[in-house]
Amino acid sequence: MIVILDPQLGRDSPQTKVILDYLRAAPGITPKIHQVTGAQQVLTEIYLVGDTSILDRADIEALSGVSRVVKVSRAYAVLGRHAGDSRSYGFDYNGVTFNQDNLNLFAGLCAVDTRAHVEAMLKAAADAGLNCTRMGAYKPRTNPYSFQGHGAACLPWVFELAGKYGIKVVAMEITHDNHIDEINDALRDAGHPTGVMLQVGTRNTQNFELLKACGRQSAFPVLLKRGFGITLEESLNAAEYLASEGNRKVIFCLRGMKTNMGDPHRNFVDFSHVPVIHRLTHMPVCIDPSHSVGNRDRAPDGLLDLFHATAQGIIAGANMVLIDFHPNPATALVDGPQALTLDELAHYIQDIQIARQAYLKRRQLPGQKKRP
């Protein structure tokens, strides 16, 4: 059950305290307070954990300062949409806005290899007008003998170069909670020249202790990739671990499902779930065509499968694209065969813009229900 307070009430207002005291008096009920940032206002909501069947909705709604009470029908209570809620939510981080209505492109290296390659990538991104990138410092690998990433050793110069080229947010996968501290320390030592979005990869979607650690910190937003072998519902519940610990700055990433039914692609592309996640949750939705397609095969129309898959996600309303580029894919230490080259960046951006305009035109068709 969720108690939504009147918009003018903050989490520390005297009226909010009275409502919290009333709810805490109910046996077996633990209220948790959250603030939701909408397009026009910040709402304070109280999530009730426990057997809420003993509570009378009418009594709670009668309390001064309570706007309405919503019965939760899904396990992902904090991130989930509930009855009658079609509003736009999101967050700002380091000057970049993330919500279900906009689009951000994170083009960069799946794995950081050399300083020269990082600088070439960041310069190309800046020249193309991008302010976000991906840079993998920590790389979980199936083969224990494969390159595992440079780790903390590369963070100082990656962050320095990101600042030099005006990159606002770097998406960076972590595999252990101590990586959060390493990133925080490196940013501090560098003078915070950029921001970091923590990325939880598909292998760690159900690493619940890592999810809790990411949720307990509030410095960085989190990009959670869907688990490659579990249901969408299970992955959404994994995202709820982040929010239940306090971090609502969560983006959900679709990266394909591990099944041979997707052959010859690396994974079965699941970008039709973009609108499903919009409907079920407040989270912005990212697509990762690189790890979905996994190759540079080209269709008879002249377009790479990577371009086609990206367009499918964009035209379905995706809010972020995580895509592999590399100055020299033949020498890339991770996933070189699927990486686009820097001279393909301008074409890729133009193709995204075409698909995005098509999506926006679809939203304006007569008879479409407008967001309040």
Side-chain angles (χ1 to χ4, degrees):
M1 186 177 288
I2 302 175
V3 180
I4 302 174
L5 306 187
D6 291 337
Q8 71 273 15
L9 291 186
R11 63 185 304 150
D12 298 320
S13 70
Q15 222 166 340
T16 301
K17 183 179 184 303
V18 171
I19 296 169
L20 282 170
D21 288 343
Y22 175 87
L23 296 171
R24 289 190 182 108
I29 298 296
T30 302
K32 292 188 175 183
I33 193 164
H34 293 269
Q35 287 194 304
V36 182
T37 302
Q40 298 178 338
Q41 61 188 1
V42 177
L43 292 180
T44 301
E45 299 180 347
I46 301 172
Y47 292 73
L48 304 182
V49 180
D51 182 10
T52 58
S53 64
I54 65 172
L55 300 176
D56 190 313
R57 280 181 62 178
D59 287 347
I60 299 174
E61 287 179 333
L63 295 172
S64 177
V66 172
S67 174
R68 64 192 178 104
V69 177
V70 177
K71 185 174 178 58
V72 175
S73 56
R74 298 187 178 97
Y76 36 97
V78 179
L79 293 174
R81 285 193 182 276
H82 306 292
D85 184 6
S86 59
R87 295 167 294 180
S88 176
Y89 296 93
F91 60 90
D92 292 330
Y93 173 66
N94 205 34
V96 182
T97 298
F98 299 91
N99 58 39
Q100 289 189 349
D101 291 319
N102 70 355
L103 176 63
N104 291 294
L105 174 58
F106 283 65
L109 306 184
C110 183
V112 170
D113 46 19
T114 69
R115 183 185 179 106
H117 284 158
V118 170
E119 182 155 20
M121 180 68 246
L122 296 180
K123 183 180 185 303
D127 290 346
L130 303 180
N131 60 3
C132 298
T133 190
R134 69 174 304 175
M135 288 287 160
Y138 311 93
K139 298 303 300 179
R141 306 300 300 281
T142 302
N143 187 332
Y145 305 111
S146 298
F147 176 64
Q148 306 284 318
H150 290 308
C154 72
L155 298 183
W157 47 270
V158 168
F159 295 156
E160 171 205 334
L161 290 171
K164 176 180 177 180
Y165 290 100
I167 301 299
K168 297 289 188 182
V169 185
V170 179
M172 183 169 286
E173 183 171 1
I174 63 171
T175 60
H176 194 280
D177 57 6
N178 64 12
H179 296 161
I180 302 173
D181 294 330
E182 292 177 358
I183 290 171
N184 219 352
D185 292 345
L187 280 174
R188 183 198 61 227
D189 294 343
H192 294 279
T194 188
V196 171
M197 176 180 292
L198 304 179
Q199 179 182 317
V200 177
T202 188
R203 293 172 178 83
N204 279 308
T205 301
Q206 291 188 305
N207 181 343
F208 301 120
E209 295 309 312
L210 179 61
L211 295 177
K212 291 175 185 178
C214 290
R216 283 192 293 268
Q217 62 80 37
S218 59
F220 309 115
V222 182
L223 176 69
L224 176 72
K225 285 196 171 185
R226 177 181 184 169
F228 58 61
I230 59 177
T231 67
L232 178 62
E233 184 83 0
E234 288 168 327
S235 291
L236 293 177
N237 281 326
E240 186 74 6
Y241 267 89
L242 299 163
S244 68
E245 294 290 337
N247 191 345
R248 295 183 63 127
K249 295 180 179 179
V250 183
I251 297 173
F252 191 86
C253 182
L254 296 168
R255 47 82 67 204
M257 301 296 294
K258 191 175 183 64
T259 166
N260 288 112
M261 289 186 290
D263 292 347
H265 288 163
R266 180 174 176 179
N267 291 293
F268 191 84
V269 181
D270 55 351
F271 297 167
S272 62
H273 275 164
V274 170
V276 175
I277 299 162
H278 281 168
R279 183 176 74 250
L280 295 177
T281 79
H282 299 301
M283 289 185 287
V285 183
C286 175
I287 57 170
D288 179 352
S290 297
H291 290 83
S292 295
V293 174
N295 61 50
R296 290 181 46 85
D297 291 346
R298 193 179 300 272
D301 59 15
L303 291 168
L304 294 171
D305 286 6
L306 279 166
F307 280 60
H308 279 299
T310 301
Q312 291 164 17
I314 298 295
I315 208 165
N319 311 113
M320 174 175 161
V321 180
L322 191 72
I323 180 78
D324 291 358
F325 275 79
H326 197 281
N328 185 6
T331 65
L333 298 177
V334 177
D335 290 340
Q338 68 191 27
L340 296 173
T341 61
L342 300 190
D343 59 4
E344 292 173 314
L345 181 57
H347 181 194
Y348 188 73
I349 292 173
Q350 291 171 354
D351 201 54
I352 284 178
Q353 290 170 339
I354 292 170
R356 178 67 176 174
Q357 288 302 312
Y359 168 70
L360 294 175
K361 288 180 180 179
R362 292 173 62 218
R363 285 183 55 165
Q364 298 304 317
L365 287 173
Q368 297 301 309
K369 184 178 179 182
K370 308 304 180 192
R371 190 189 296 277

